[in-house]
Every structure is written in C-alpha cells, then in structure tokens.
Amino acid sequence: MKTFSCERCQARVFFENVCCEACNAQLGFIPADLTIGSFEVDATGRMTRLAPATHPQPGPLRRCANHVAPVICNWMVDANGAEPLCQSCRTTRARPALDKAENRGYWRRIEGAKRQLAYSLTSWRLPFPSKAEDPEHGVAFDFLEQTDPAKRVLTGHDAGVITLNIAEADDARREQMRAQMHEPYRTLLGHLRHEIGHYYWDRLIRATRWIADYRRLFGDERADYAQALKRHYATPLANWQERYVSVYASCHPWEDWAECWAHYMHLQDGLETAASWGMQLNAAVPNGLPVRAEVIASDVADVPARVVRSWLPISQFINAMSRSLGARDSYPFVVPPPVLDKLAFIHQVIDAGVRAAVPMNFDPAATPGSCKIPLGA
C-alpha cells in the first residue's frame, strides 16, 4: 500500500480515511490514479477537488453510493456515469441482513478488507469485473450469515462466486476458529486473497499455455478434490514444510495455488508499504549490507532472490516488532525453495496476462485494456 497525504494541508492520511483529521478536507480514493483526493463539499453535495493546479485532473467525481453507514466506502466514481457504486462495491452480490447491529459492523469490516484487495488488483491492472458486467467471467462476493445450525455457510469459491461467512469478521470467533483448526494465521484479508486466487486460476491458468508449467510446480488439479480434502483432514502431510507454504496448501494443487497467490499478495503489498515509508534495515543480517525495501517489479527475472533479499528480512523485522508488542507473529510462515519457485511463476503469469502476452480468460468487451504491471513504479 502506498502512503498518502492530504492535497490541501499535506498531512499524512491513510487508505481508509474519509476525512483529513488536520484540516477536515473530505477524502476519497481515486482508482484511476491510485491516489487519495481531497475535496470540498458544498451545500448541494457537489464535490470540488483541492489538488494543486499542476496535478492531473480526472473527470468530475462523486462518492460511491456506499459512502453512507454502515459501509462508509471512500472510493470515488465517475460523476457522469450511470453506475452508483465503485468497482469494489459492485462485486458484492449478497450482504447479511442489516436488522442486527453486529451484522452492520461485520459488513463494514468485510468491505474494508475487500477494498484493500481491490487496491492491489487495480494497481496490477488485473481485471476484476462484477458478474453484472461479465456474467461468465466476472466475480461476485456473497457475504452470508449462518442462521440455521444444520446449514453451514462455508467460505469458498465456485465459478467466480466467493462466499464468506460473516462470522469471520468477528475477531473473537475468528480467533477461536483459528485455534481450533491449529492455524498460525487467519484474517479477513487473508481469506479474500486466498479465494480470489481460486478466481484467478480460472482466469489465468485454466485452458491456457500455462497449464503444463502449473502442473509441474503445483501438481495435477484433476485429482479428486473431495477425496484430497478427506485425506488431508484425516492424515495431514507430515513433511509439508519442505514444499508448501502452509499445511492446507498440501491438500490439493488448487489449494496450493490459492495459498501461494495469497502469499504473493501479502509480500507485494507489504513490500510496497515498506518501500513507501522508505524502510531500510541496516542490521537485517549481522555484519551484512543494509536492506532497502523495494517492490518486485514486473521485469524482475529472479523473483526467488528478490524475496530472500528483501521480503524475508522485512517479514522478520515485522515479526520482531509484533513480539515486542506482545502479539503473535504477523507473518508466521517459512518460505522453502519450492514455494519461491511457485511465487516466481505467479509473478510471471500476472505479468504476461496484463501485457496480453498470454490471453486471459475474460470477455474483452467487459474488461478494460491491459497494460504492463506497474509493480515497480
């Protein structure tokens, strides 16, 4: 995540902010240029941007219709367009019943995590049309409450529809589930990144020239999925740490891809944040050279070396900070060499897809044109 500042007073503001705490300017995220804009709002609701005259101005903007409670979305949309919702909010197909106060809070937290997911996809120029825009290839999110104990709401992905049990937005219940399932890590954003990984397997790998390379690295996805899950929960792979980023990744090639996709998003977002703050670790390695945070650009060939050189020291620093504050490790994972190769493959697949070097599985009429992934910008 980039760092942002108020365009009126230059105070630091954050991705989630709707108002500058220093000067009270209204804030809104502008997907077209990945910035937080500062605005004045007149009595009629008209919004005027306060950017310097030298700043490139997009067309007139207005707030996403979900800017009101409970969602309080801070994304902006084209004021001349017919769509009232931003690109992130448009992908929500089902929401929980809002007659319960806790459900309103859950929905707000989930949408906040989804906007962070959408930020990364937007910055990488990966299309993520809604089902309304591209019924066959689009993505939809169903945020559901389990009301009948006999009918479980399971988080998962099916043909572009991502379902999330809203109980995941309850910190206490999510922590309880994490402990019961012996997981080192369980977050809303982690769930969304994992499930969107399944979605992009369909968009980037299925029936493309990548399938042979995918099977060489991850295994054959044609293996019976239900049987693989049953076997995994009965007898988890004992030596999974040698080839996988998590024990769950070892259950089936689809889950291995989704877990690695989520981790690729973790490390790229973490590196962008650290680089935007100008992070440099002078003692990353005892008696070693300083390590300066940098994102892994699209034209980088040796991704494993970059991960080892940059991300691993930074993740160790983050974990050390978490421990100093009495918290669990923020990134409780070890990345063995086979996983580094899988991350490099994901990096290559994304780059080739957004450059149109390898066609993606989207309806061209429903998605914007592709351009080179700007991860190194």
Side-chain angles (χ1 to χ4, degrees), residues 262-283:
H263 282 268
Y264 180 80
M265 296 196 77
H266 291 335
L267 70 89
Q268 285 286 36
D269 199 22
L271 286 172
E272 184 182 51
T273 301
S276 294
W277 283 79
M279 177 181 284
Q280 177 170 301
L281 301 177
N282 293 327

mmCIF file of all heavy atoms in Angstrom, residues 262-283:
data_model
loop_
_atom_site.group_PDB
_atom_site.id
_atom_site.type_symbol
_atom_site.label_atom_id
_atom_site.label_comp_id
_atom_site.label_asym_id
_atom_site.label_seq_id
_atom_site.Cartn_x
_atom_site.Cartn_y
_atom_site.Cartn_z
ATOM 1 N N ALA A 262 -2.205 -15.951 -2.334
ATOM 2 C CA ALA A 262 -2.417 -15.078 -1.175
ATOM 3 C C ALA A 262 -1.088 -14.580 -0.633
ATOM 4 O O ALA A 262 -0.958 -13.397 -0.278
ATOM 5 C CB ALA A 262 -3.197 -15.830 -0.092
ATOM 6 N N HIS A 263 -0.098 -15.442 -0.567
ATOM 7 C CA HIS A 263 1.200 -15.036 -0.031
ATOM 8 C C HIS A 263 1.916 -14.087 -0.979
ATOM 9 O O HIS A 263 2.630 -13.181 -0.532
ATOM 10 C CB HIS A 263 2.046 -16.262 0.284
ATOM 11 C CG HIS A 263 1.646 -16.914 1.562
ATOM 12 N ND1 HIS A 263 2.212 -16.607 2.770
ATOM 13 C CD2 HIS A 263 0.681 -17.828 1.829
ATOM 14 C CE1 HIS A 263 1.635 -17.313 3.723
ATOM 15 N NE2 HIS A 263 0.705 -18.057 3.181
ATOM 16 N N TYR A 264 1.736 -14.277 -2.275
ATOM 17 C CA TYR A 264 2.297 -13.318 -3.223
ATOM 18 C C TYR A 264 1.688 -11.934 -2.984
ATOM 19 O O TYR A 264 2.395 -10.923 -2.985
ATOM 20 C CB TYR A 264 2.025 -13.780 -4.653
ATOM 21 C CG TYR A 264 2.566 -12.833 -5.700
ATOM 22 C CD1 TYR A 264 3.911 -12.849 -6.049
ATOM 23 C CD2 TYR A 264 1.736 -11.911 -6.333
ATOM 24 C CE1 TYR A 264 4.410 -11.973 -7.004
ATOM 25 C CE2 TYR A 264 2.225 -11.039 -7.292
ATOM 26 C CZ TYR A 264 3.567 -11.064 -7.618
ATOM 27 O OH TYR A 264 4.064 -10.191 -8.550
ATOM 28 N N MET A 265 0.375 -11.885 -2.752
ATOM 29 C CA MET A 265 -0.267 -10.608 -2.462
ATOM 30 C C MET A 265 0.221 -10.036 -1.131
ATOM 31 O O MET A 265 0.444 -8.823 -1.003
ATOM 32 C CB MET A 265 -1.790 -10.760 -2.447
ATOM 33 C CG MET A 265 -2.395 -11.156 -3.781
ATOM 34 S SD MET A 265 -4.188 -10.898 -3.884
ATOM 35 C CE MET A 265 -4.239 -9.103 -4.124
ATOM 36 N N HIS A 266 0.389 -10.899 -0.122
ATOM 37 C CA HIS A 266 0.922 -10.436 1.166
ATOM 38 C C HIS A 266 2.269 -9.742 0.975
ATOM 39 O O HIS A 266 2.486 -8.623 1.457
ATOM 40 C CB HIS A 266 1.128 -11.629 2.116
ATOM 41 C CG HIS A 266 -0.111 -12.289 2.608
ATOM 42 N ND1 HIS A 266 -1.329 -11.666 2.688
ATOM 43 C CD2 HIS A 266 -0.315 -13.564 3.063
ATOM 44 C CE1 HIS A 266 -2.232 -12.515 3.168
ATOM 45 N NE2 HIS A 266 -1.634 -13.660 3.405
ATOM 46 N N LEU A 267 3.178 -10.416 0.294
ATOM 47 C CA LEU A 267 4.546 -9.888 0.228
ATOM 48 C C LEU A 267 4.620 -8.656 -0.676
ATOM 49 O O LEU A 267 5.353 -7.705 -0.362
ATOM 50 C CB LEU A 267 5.539 -10.969 -0.178
ATOM 51 C CG LEU A 267 5.553 -11.524 -1.594
ATOM 52 C CD1 LEU A 267 6.469 -10.706 -2.501
ATOM 53 C CD2 LEU A 267 6.046 -12.982 -1.574
ATOM 54 N N GLN A 268 3.876 -8.622 -1.769
ATOM 55 C CA GLN A 268 3.928 -7.436 -2.629
ATOM 56 C C GLN A 268 3.303 -6.222 -1.937
ATOM 57 O O GLN A 268 3.836 -5.112 -2.031
ATOM 58 C CB GLN A 268 3.231 -7.710 -3.966
ATOM 59 C CG GLN A 268 4.033 -8.583 -4.922
ATOM 60 C CD GLN A 268 5.204 -7.826 -5.561
ATOM 61 O OE1 GLN A 268 5.846 -6.985 -4.938
ATOM 62 N NE2 GLN A 268 5.503 -8.133 -6.815
ATOM 63 N N ASP A 269 2.192 -6.425 -1.255
ATOM 64 C CA ASP A 269 1.580 -5.311 -0.535
ATOM 65 C C ASP A 269 2.475 -4.870 0.614
ATOM 66 O O ASP A 269 2.650 -3.674 0.870
ATOM 67 C CB ASP A 269 0.203 -5.722 -0.016
ATOM 68 C CG ASP A 269 -0.676 -4.520 0.326
ATOM 69 O OD1 ASP A 269 -0.414 -3.419 -0.192
ATOM 70 O OD2 ASP A 269 -1.630 -4.685 1.106
ATOM 71 N N GLY A 270 3.067 -5.845 1.321
ATOM 72 C CA GLY A 270 3.977 -5.498 2.405
ATOM 73 C C GLY A 270 5.204 -4.764 1.918
ATOM 74 O O GLY A 270 5.644 -3.780 2.535
ATOM 75 N N LEU A 271 5.763 -5.201 0.789
ATOM 76 C CA LEU A 271 6.936 -4.529 0.243
ATOM 77 C C LEU A 271 6.595 -3.119 -0.236
ATOM 78 O O LEU A 271 7.386 -2.187 -0.063
ATOM 79 C CB LEU A 271 7.524 -5.345 -0.908
ATOM 80 C CG LEU A 271 8.285 -6.615 -0.502
ATOM 81 C CD1 LEU A 271 8.636 -7.436 -1.734
ATOM 82 C CD2 LEU A 271 9.535 -6.275 0.297
ATOM 83 N N GLU A 272 5.415 -2.947 -0.851
ATOM 84 C CA GLU A 272 5.030 -1.612 -1.294
ATOM 85 C C GLU A 272 4.872 -0.669 -0.109
ATOM 86 O O GLU A 272 5.299 0.487 -0.150
ATOM 87 C CB GLU A 272 3.733 -1.661 -2.091
ATOM 88 C CG GLU A 272 3.339 -0.299 -2.657
ATOM 89 C CD GLU A 272 2.026 -0.310 -3.402
ATOM 90 O OE1 GLU A 272 1.029 -0.811 -2.842
ATOM 91 O OE2 GLU A 272 1.995 0.191 -4.536
ATOM 92 N N THR A 273 4.273 -1.175 0.968
ATOM 93 C CA THR A 273 4.118 -0.352 2.176
ATOM 94 C C THR A 273 5.479 0.034 2.733
ATOM 95 O O THR A 273 5.737 1.211 3.031
ATOM 96 C CB THR A 273 3.309 -1.112 3.236
ATOM 97 O OG1 THR A 273 2.020 -1.438 2.712
ATOM 98 C CG2 THR A 273 3.140 -0.275 4.490
ATOM 99 N N ALA A 274 6.354 -0.956 2.889
ATOM 100 C CA ALA A 274 7.668 -0.678 3.455
ATOM 101 C C ALA A 274 8.458 0.278 2.567
ATOM 102 O O ALA A 274 9.118 1.208 3.063
ATOM 103 C CB ALA A 274 8.441 -1.989 3.638
ATOM 104 N N ALA A 275 8.387 0.089 1.251
ATOM 105 C CA ALA A 275 9.113 0.974 0.337
ATOM 106 C C ALA A 275 8.549 2.388 0.376
ATOM 107 O O ALA A 275 9.303 3.370 0.326
ATOM 108 C CB ALA A 275 9.051 0.416 -1.083
ATOM 109 N N SER A 276 7.223 2.511 0.469
ATOM 110 C CA SER A 276 6.608 3.837 0.512
ATOM 111 C C SER A 276 6.996 4.606 1.768
ATOM 112 O O SER A 276 7.062 5.834 1.755
ATOM 113 C CB SER A 276 5.087 3.707 0.430
ATOM 114 O OG SER A 276 4.687 3.188 -0.824
ATOM 115 N N TRP A 277 7.253 3.890 2.850
ATOM 116 C CA TRP A 277 7.714 4.528 4.085
ATOM 117 C C TRP A 277 9.235 4.706 4.107
ATOM 118 O O TRP A 277 9.793 5.191 5.094
ATOM 119 C CB TRP A 277 7.275 3.699 5.291
ATOM 120 C CG TRP A 277 5.827 3.866 5.653
ATOM 121 C CD1 TRP A 277 4.758 3.284 5.037
ATOM 122 C CD2 TRP A 277 5.290 4.684 6.694
ATOM 123 N NE1 TRP A 277 3.592 3.683 5.642
ATOM 124 C CE2 TRP A 277 3.883 4.537 6.661
ATOM 125 C CE3 TRP A 277 5.857 5.528 7.656
ATOM 126 C CZ2 TRP A 277 3.035 5.199 7.540
ATOM 127 C CZ3 TRP A 277 5.006 6.176 8.548
ATOM 128 C CH2 TRP A 277 3.625 6.024 8.490
ATOM 129 N N GLY A 278 9.904 4.296 3.042
ATOM 130 C CA GLY A 278 11.356 4.456 2.973
ATOM 131 C C GLY A 278 12.123 3.538 3.892
ATOM 132 O O GLY A 278 13.213 3.893 4.376
ATOM 133 N N MET A 279 11.606 2.350 4.128
ATOM 134 C CA MET A 279 12.250 1.450 5.086
ATOM 135 C C MET A 279 13.601 0.950 4.588
ATOM 136 O O MET A 279 13.748 0.507 3.455
ATOM 137 C CB MET A 279 11.347 0.253 5.395
ATOM 138 C CG MET A 279 12.004 -0.764 6.329
ATOM 139 S SD MET A 279 10.948 -2.190 6.685
ATOM 140 C CE MET A 279 9.814 -1.451 7.856
ATOM 141 N N GLN A 280 14.582 1.028 5.456
ATOM 142 C CA GLN A 280 15.893 0.425 5.218
ATOM 143 C C GLN A 280 16.353 -0.230 6.506
ATOM 144 O O GLN A 280 16.357 0.406 7.569
ATOM 145 C CB GLN A 280 16.916 1.461 4.758
ATOM 146 C CG GLN A 280 18.324 0.874 4.565
ATOM 147 C CD GLN A 280 19.272 1.843 3.893
ATOM 148 O OE1 GLN A 280 19.013 2.293 2.777
ATOM 149 N NE2 GLN A 280 20.368 2.167 4.552
ATOM 150 N N LEU A 281 16.735 -1.492 6.417
ATOM 151 C CA LEU A 281 17.193 -2.237 7.584
ATOM 152 C C LEU A 281 18.713 -2.316 7.543
ATOM 153 O O LEU A 281 19.282 -3.020 6.709
ATOM 154 C CB LEU A 281 16.578 -3.641 7.586
ATOM 155 C CG LEU A 281 15.040 -3.708 7.602
ATOM 156 C CD1 LEU A 281 14.576 -5.157 7.521
ATOM 157 C CD2 LEU A 281 14.479 -3.035 8.849
ATOM 158 N N ASN A 282 19.345 -1.582 8.431
ATOM 159 C CA ASN A 282 20.808 -1.562 8.454
ATOM 160 C C ASN A 282 21.403 -2.766 9.170
ATOM 161 O O ASN A 282 22.590 -3.029 9.035
ATOM 162 C CB ASN A 282 21.298 -0.277 9.114
ATOM 163 C CG ASN A 282 20.972 0.945 8.284
ATOM 164 O OD1 ASN A 282 20.960 0.893 7.058
ATOM 165 N ND2 ASN A 282 20.677 2.056 8.949
ATOM 166 N N ALA A 283 20.570 -3.472 9.934
ATOM 167 C CA ALA A 283 21.060 -4.642 10.663
ATOM 168 C C ALA A 283 20.224 -5.871 10.327
ATOM 169 O O ALA A 283 19.968 -6.719 11.176
ATOM 170 C CB ALA A 283 21.032 -4.371 12.168
#
